[in-house]
Amino acid sequence: MSSLEIKKLHKNFSNYHAIRGVDLQIEKGEFTVFVGPSGCGKSTLLRLIAGLEVVTSGSILLNDQDITDTSAAERDLAMVFQSYALYPHMSVAENMSFALKIAKVDPKIIAEKVADAAEILQLTSLLDRKPKALSGGQRQRVAIGRAIVRQPSVFLFDEPLSNLDASLRVQMRQELSGLHKRLKSTMIYVTHDQVEAMTLADKVVILNAGNVEQVGTPLNVYYNPASRFVAEFIGTPKMSFIPMSDDIKKLIANEYDGADPRKLTSSTWLGVRPESVTLSSQLLTKAGLTGKVSLVERLGAETLVYIDYLGEHKITARADSLASIEAGADIQFSIDFQNVHGFDDDGLRLSPDVTDNLIVGNV
Ligand SMILES: Nc1ncnc2c1ncn2[C@@H]1O[C@H](COP(=O)(O)OP(=O)(O)O)[C@@H](O)[C@H]1O
Ligand SMILES: [Mg+2]
């Protein structure tokens, strides 16, 4: 198990500043996920760690040793790519053992390691097959197996599940989580999928245009998003943003008896998650706001209702599976102001953290 430290890291591609001063500490055995929209620098950051890109400035330390100028081969890290990058002419076993063979490891030890990894990844019966005779999920397992046999100090994954269909992605995600528990290795995982980030990570690193926007546990970034960017990126359906209106100011004053401990009324924007919106069939309830239903999406287990509030602003709400709501209708709703976030003009959150220490309670 290894720790990794990144200090003031910058990367320029000729005149494009892709990584803009990243500081990051990754602890031993931690599963860290880099998440952010396409083009924000996730792969570049991972490739800098792997030694596949040259650092422009700053440093990378592995177990307190500076590896900034060490070659990729000498870093003792193993990377798994979205494209699998298997050798087509080699069998599964040969693909998995190739790096060890090059390193002149004793063939007996290689055989043991390959057998162990194949066992973990349910590839034992496929060891003689060529990649072209494997499904996407099996190929991805071989790519992971190739990393496992090397027993690297850190595993690096770059969107390893993005080429798989939805159900296989869920299955592989659960397998990767199990793999981390079993190997207890330090793992860094890149994805644009916030659900993967939420479900896999001990620590989520949210990147935005080459900067770290926030670092935290999945629940912490969900409940205490530092910025509008994070608030919008984490959580599905997305958080809605509505401008502070006089109606809402009055409701907040009522709810808090004139005080405003959550600094909502000094905010320009309120961030409202679907779970904080309650739809009401009764007109003019105490906390009533009115809007127009613009779209109803029936997902089976629940129904998503999109409400136009103050003209162009949309609020997403959840309703019961069979709720009789139709697009075009006027609708009353209330907002739980204990659970919304206030943001200023620059997108910074003004509301204090919901709680400093989120603990999952008993059921
Ligand atoms: N070799 C390269 N040359 C020039 N620009 C690059 C190169 N690699 C990446 N970039 C640019 O750097 C930015 C970050 O890319 P990348 O790290 O691949 O994003 P992500 O993995 O988050 O989608 C993108 O704008 C991309 O176009
Ligand atoms: Mg990428």
Side-chain angles (χ1 to χ4, degrees), residues 13-14 16 18 36-45 53 158-159 190:
F13 291 110
S14 56
Y16 185 74
S38 181
C40 69
K42 305 178 295 293
S43 296
T44 304
L45 187 54
E53 296 285 356
D158 192 354
E159 310 236 12
V190 161

Side-chain angles (χ1 to χ4, degrees), residues 103-116:
K104 301 209 169 21
V105 174
D106 178 349
K108 240 170 86 186
I109 293 176
I110 296 182
E112 277 168 27
K113 288 191 171 178
V114 169
D116 281 352

